[in-house]
Coordinates of all heavy atoms in Angstrom, one line a residue:
Q19 N 5.4 -11.7 -54.6 CA 4.0 -12.0 -55.0 C 3.1 -11.7 -53.8 O 3.2 -12.5 -52.8 CB 3.8 -13.4 -55.4 CG 2.4 -13.8 -55.8 CD 2.3 -15.2 -56.3 OE1 3.3 -15.9 -56.5 NE2 1.1 -15.8 -56.4
P20 N 2.2 -10.7 -53.8 CA 1.3 -10.5 -52.7 C 0.2 -11.5 -52.7 O -0.3 -12.0 -53.8 CB 0.7 -9.1 -52.9 CG 0.8 -8.9 -54.4 CD 2.1 -9.7 -54.9
T21 N -0.3 -11.9 -51.5 CA -1.4 -12.9 -51.4 C -2.4 -12.4 -50.3 O -2.1 -11.6 -49.4 CB -0.9 -14.3 -50.9 OG1 -0.3 -14.1 -49.6 CG2 0.2 -14.8 -51.9
F270 N 1.7 -21.3 -45.3 CA 0.4 -21.2 -46.1 C 0.7 -21.1 -47.6 O 0.0 -21.7 -48.4 CB -0.4 -20.0 -45.6 CG -1.3 -20.3 -44.5 CD1 -1.0 -20.0 -43.2 CD2 -2.5 -21.0 -44.7 CE1 -1.8 -20.2 -42.1 CE2 -3.4 -21.3 -43.6 CZ -3.0 -20.9 -42.3
F271 N 1.7 -20.3 -47.9 CA 2.0 -20.1 -49.4 C 2.5 -21.4 -50.0 O 2.1 -21.8 -51.1 CB 3.1 -19.1 -49.5 CG 3.5 -18.8 -50.9 CD1 2.6 -18.0 -51.7 CD2 4.7 -19.3 -51.5 CE1 3.0 -17.7 -53.0 CE2 5.0 -19.0 -52.8 CZ 4.2 -18.2 -53.6
T272 N 3.4 -22.2 -49.3 CA 3.9 -23.5 -49.8 C 2.7 -24.5 -50.0 O 2.6 -25.2 -51.0 CB 4.9 -24.1 -48.8 OG1 6.0 -23.1 -48.7 CG2 5.4 -25.4 -49.4
I273 N 1.8 -24.5 -49.0 CA 0.7 -25.4 -49.1 C -0.2 -25.0 -50.3 O -0.7 -25.9 -51.1 CB -0.1 -25.4 -47.8 CG1 0.7 -26.0 -46.7 CG2 -1.4 -26.2 -48.0 CD1 0.0 -26.0 -45.3
S274 N -0.5 -23.7 -50.5 CA -1.3 -23.3 -51.6 C -0.7 -23.6 -52.9 O -1.4 -24.0 -53.9 CB -1.6 -21.8 -51.5 OG -0.4 -21.0 -51.6
E275 N 0.6 -23.5 -53.0 CA 1.3 -23.8 -54.3 C 1.2 -25.3 -54.6 O 1.0 -25.7 -55.7 CB 2.8 -23.4 -54.2 CG 3.0 -21.9 -54.2 CD 2.5 -21.3 -55.6 OE1 3.0 -21.8 -56.6 OE2 1.7 -20.4 -55.5
L276 N 1.3 -26.1 -53.6 CA 1.2 -27.6 -53.8 C -0.2 -28.0 -54.2 O -0.4 -28.8 -55.1 CB 1.6 -28.3 -52.5 CG 3.0 -28.3 -52.0 CD1 3.2 -28.9 -50.7 CD2 3.9 -29.0 -53.0
V277 N -1.2 -27.3 -53.6 CA -2.6 -27.6 -54.0 C -2.8 -27.2 -55.5 O -3.4 -27.9 -56.3 CB -3.5 -26.8 -53.1 CG1 -5.0 -26.9 -53.7 CG2 -3.5 -27.4 -51.7
K278 N -2.2 -26.0 -55.9 CA -2.4 -25.6 -57.3 C -1.7 -26.6 -58.3 O -2.3 -27.0 -59.3 CB -1.7 -24.2 -57.5 CG -2.5 -23.1 -56.9 CD -1.8 -21.8 -57.1 CE -2.5 -20.6 -56.4 NZ -1.8 -19.3 -56.6
K279 N -0.5 -27.1 -57.9 CA 0.2 -28.1 -58.8 C -0.6 -29.4 -58.8 O -0.7 -30.0 -59.9 CB 1.6 -28.3 -58.2 CG 2.5 -27.1 -58.4 CD 3.9 -27.4 -58.0 CE 4.9 -26.3 -58.2 NZ 6.2 -26.6 -57.7
Q280 N -1.2 -29.7 -57.7 CA -2.0 -31.0 -57.7 C -3.2 -30.8 -58.6 O -3.5 -31.8 -59.4 CB -2.5 -31.2 -56.2 CG -3.4 -32.4 -56.1 CD -2.7 -33.7 -56.4 OE1 -1.5 -33.8 -56.1 NE2 -3.4 -34.7 -56.9
R281 N -3.9 -29.7 -58.6 CA -5.0 -29.5 -59.5 C -4.6 -29.5 -61.0 O -5.4 -30.0 -61.9 CB -5.7 -28.2 -59.2 CG -6.4 -28.2 -57.8 CD -7.0 -26.9 -57.5 NE -7.7 -26.9 -56.2 CZ -8.3 -25.8 -55.6 NH1 -8.1 -24.6 -56.2 NH2 -8.9 -25.9 -54.5
L282 N -3.4 -29.0 -61.3 CA -2.9 -28.9 -62.7 C -2.3 -30.3 -63.1 O -1.8 -30.4 -64.3 CB -2.0 -27.8 -62.8 CG -2.5 -26.4 -62.6 CD1 -1.5 -25.3 -62.7 CD2 -3.6 -26.1 -63.7
G283 N -2.1 -31.2 -62.2 CA -1.5 -32.4 -62.5 C 0.0 -32.3 -62.6 O 0.6 -33.2 -63.3
K284 N 0.6 -31.3 -62.1 CA 2.0 -31.1 -62.2 C 2.8 -31.6 -61.0 O 4.0 -31.5 -60.9 CB 2.4 -29.7 -62.4 CG 1.8 -29.1 -63.8 CD 2.2 -27.7 -63.9 CE 1.7 -27.1 -65.3 NZ 2.1 -25.7 -65.5
L285 N 2.1 -32.1 -60.0 CA 2.7 -32.6 -58.8 C 3.2 -34.0 -59.0 O 2.5 -34.9 -59.3 CB 1.7 -32.5 -57.6 CG 2.3 -32.9 -56.2 CD1 3.4 -31.9 -55.8 CD2 1.2 -32.9 -55.2

Side-chain angles (χ1 to χ4, degrees):
Q19 179 180 348
T21 63
F270 274 101
F271 182 76
T272 300
I273 293 174
S274 64
E275 288 297 306
L276 290 175
V277 171
K278 288 180 182 179
K279 289 182 180 181
Q280 176 67 29
R281 291 176 179 175
L282 296 174
K284 296 182 178 180
L285 186 62

